Amino acid sequence: MSGTDVGGGGTGGDDKDSGVYVKLVSAEGHEFLVERKIAIAGSGTIRTMLEGQFRESKENIIRFPDITGYILERVVKYLCYKAQHSHSTTRIPELPIEPEVALELMIAAKYLDC
């Protein structure tokens, strides 16, 4: 997942793909599809929502009314980065974070338990 907005579709309809991806929706309605296993491994909050008896676990859609699309995009990039490099035995490349969004990103990461 590159962290780009996606239009419609994704988690519904096709039974073979159902449950493979989870849709994260920002405050403005921007949608991001992330592999379910990456989202669960990278965020304690998302894991709780998807593995518990919550509506999100049945719909595979999680809405974040307090997280902007720009910040949620950065969170998705981090989740993919974390999954890609978590078992690396070589030097891990730096994940660039713009200073002007660092505080808001830290608040989102704290909420999401990333």
Side-chain angles (χ1 to χ4, degrees), residues 30-88:
H30 297 285
E31 299 174 346
F32 302 90
L33 289 177
V34 182
E35 284 185 51
R36 186 180 173 98
K37 64 182 180 181
I38 289 175
I40 288 173
S43 167
T45 302
I46 292 174
R47 179 183 321 110
T48 301
M49 293 173 142
L50 293 176
E51 292 180 346
Q53 296 299 315
F54 298 100
R55 178 179 62 193
E56 292 84 358
S57 67
K58 293 170 185 55
E59 296 177 354
N60 274 337
I61 299 172
I62 302 177
R63 290 171 178 78
F64 296 106
D66 296 326
I67 301 178
T68 65
Y70 186 79
I71 296 299
L72 191 56
E73 179 181 12
R74 297 302 177 275
V75 168
V76 169
K77 285 182 179 182
Y78 171 73
L79 293 175
C80 294
Y81 172 88
K82 184 176 179 180
Q84 182 180 3
H85 297 291
S86 63
H87 300 294
S88 179

